[in-house]
Amino acid sequence: MSAPVRPPPIALDDLARPRFSDEARSILDMMSEAGAAASLEPDALMGAAVAETGLGDFGPDDFVPRLHVLCRSLREEARLNDAGVLAQAVLVTGLLRNRLLLEDLVGRHPEILDERVEKPIVICGLPRTGSTHLHNLMSSDPALRSLPYWESMEPVLAERERPAAGDPDPRWERTEMALSFLDVAMPEFKRMHEMTVDHVHEEIQLLAIDFSTMLFETIAPIPSWRDDYLARDQRPSYHYLKEILQALQWLRGGTRWVLKSPQHLEQFPALRDTFPDATFVVTHRDPVSVTASMLTMLAYSLRLGHDQVDLHWVGDYWSERLRRMLQACVDARDVLPATRTIDVHFDEFMADDLAMVRRIYELADQPYTDDAHAAMTSFMDHNPRGRHGTVLYDLGQFGLDRARLREALSFYVDHFGVSQEGG
């Protein structure tokens, strides 16, 4: 079989002033018109979720102050246009709806809380460190439970929508429609991070249901939210995440999860206390290269809610945010149990990915079976890395100097012996 022909690399030359196809522009114009009347006030959003579900119990109300901080940050700091306001109102209402449905399900079936989330394998690492490829490989193993994108978006289906035997789940179609719009509005995003309906996703989307996650920072730089989030003990929200996993196990089965989120990198104490029997996989790559690619991906995403994107705004916020995450990783790495934690370096992983998976499985006492090997091989055959092409990254457009950034992040490189890439 001949190797697939990959598109050539491209430079994204419209990060600051986004260009759209006529189709995308038409959709965004309609969103803008609706967004002019949309609200980012907590009471209005909670009321909308109650009206949509017919439910009224949000569970523990400690999330409400966090919701207020988030909404205020989105209104006052995120610089959203009307389309962006609508998108975030829809997002937050959806999270509140998910919370109502979860609380209703657990209230009707308290046995859910008896489910045991045992010995998960948790991948902790920034994007672009090989964490996604590793997550995909392990999630293809039929012996492990993972989170498909459609399930992350709507973990619990309303009873009135439950399909008859043999009928499709309506969540799948809704997710497909949302991704179709993203592909129209951001056609090059798949070069950086491919997303499909069944694509394995991060539980950071589940953490958002408790309104305590760095996911919201990817909407736009929101320093008030960041500071409030970092000042809080995240153990209660990680406990809520575990409850969601219990519900998902009860609904669709599976006992041993493979989890992954960049957020975990700065939450080792909460992660360890929530999943004390877990195996932890910490991925590493040259942080300068990681910063360059992350900034580009985040800036590209901002076009959905911004007419123009201030690239220096993005560069200042995220270069410092990533530095703080890496500092937290260095400071708390020893919190993780030495006998159940492995550091995975990008260059070593890419040299022989399946050999690294075998090492992880051995550490986790997870059988590396013929079925697991066949599933991972099949995944790689059908999803070759870089099949959509790649993106050329330029730190200079974000107002950052590579040499100065390398010096600022040397503490992490030196601590973990991370190989440097490029200049």
Side-chain angles (χ1 to χ4, degrees), residues 126-317:
L126 293 176
R128 327 306 295 168
T129 61
S131 60
T132 298
H133 181 48
L134 178 60
H135 194 203
N136 285 331
L137 283 179
M138 295 173 62
S139 296
S140 67
D141 182 350
L144 295 176
R145 174 70 152 95
S146 59
L147 184 71
Y149 187 59
W150 65 265
E151 190 178 38
S152 76
M153 297 301 291
E154 296 186 62
V156 179
L157 185 64
E159 284 297 310
R160 66 177 183 275
E161 288 195 291
R162 191 166 301 280
D167 289 345
D169 190 313
R171 292 174 291 181
W172 202 95
E173 183 178 0
R174 286 195 288 263
T175 304
E176 185 177 40
M177 289 179 60
L179 287 177
S180 296
F181 164 65
L182 291 181
D183 195 45
V184 169
M186 301 193 300
E188 306 301 343
F189 191 79
K190 58 182 173 289
R191 290 175 175 262
M192 296 173 278
H193 185 74
E194 185 178 9
M195 298 177 67
T196 64
V197 176
D198 291 308
H199 190 92
V200 61
H201 197 54
E202 301 172 359
E203 61 276 8
I204 195 170
Q205 200 84 33
L206 303 182
L207 283 160
I209 297 172
D210 200 41
F211 293 92
S212 193
T213 171
M214 65 176 297
L215 173 68
F216 299 122
E217 294 178 71
T218 64
I219 297 166
I222 42 176
S224 294
W225 168 264
R226 173 202 61 204
D227 294 345
D228 185 76
Y229 161 74
L230 290 175
R232 268 186 278 106
D233 181 358
Q234 296 300 318
R235 287 175 180 85
S237 292
Y238 272 74
H239 178 78
Y240 200 77
L241 165 65
K242 186 175 181 179
E243 183 175 326
I244 301 174
L245 297 179
Q246 289 174 304
L248 295 179
Q249 281 186 192
W250 186 84
L251 287 166
R252 292 211 308 127
T255 56
R256 191 169 200 187
W257 288 84
V258 54
L259 303 173
K260 173 230 174 186
S261 174
Q263 174 173 323
H264 299 331
L265 203 64
E266 63 180 4
Q267 297 297 339
F268 287 159
L271 194 63
R272 176 207 58 195
D273 291 354
T274 306
F275 304 108
D277 58 354
T279 296
F280 302 97
V281 182
V282 186
T283 59
H284 304 281
R285 188 179 183 181
D286 177 14
V288 175
S289 295
V290 169
T291 301
S293 56
M294 270 200 70
L295 291 179
T296 304
M297 184 167 63
L298 290 164
Y300 189 65
S301 300
L302 290 182
R303 66 185 51 215
L304 296 181
H306 298 78
D307 298 321
Q308 297 184 26
V309 178
D310 183 341
L311 298 185
H312 287 207
W313 180 51
V314 176
D316 289 345
Y317 185 95

Side-chain angles (χ1 to χ4, degrees), residues 140-142 368-376:
S140 67
D141 182 350
Y368 187 85
T369 63
D370 290 343
D371 285 346
H373 180 81
M376 294 183 203

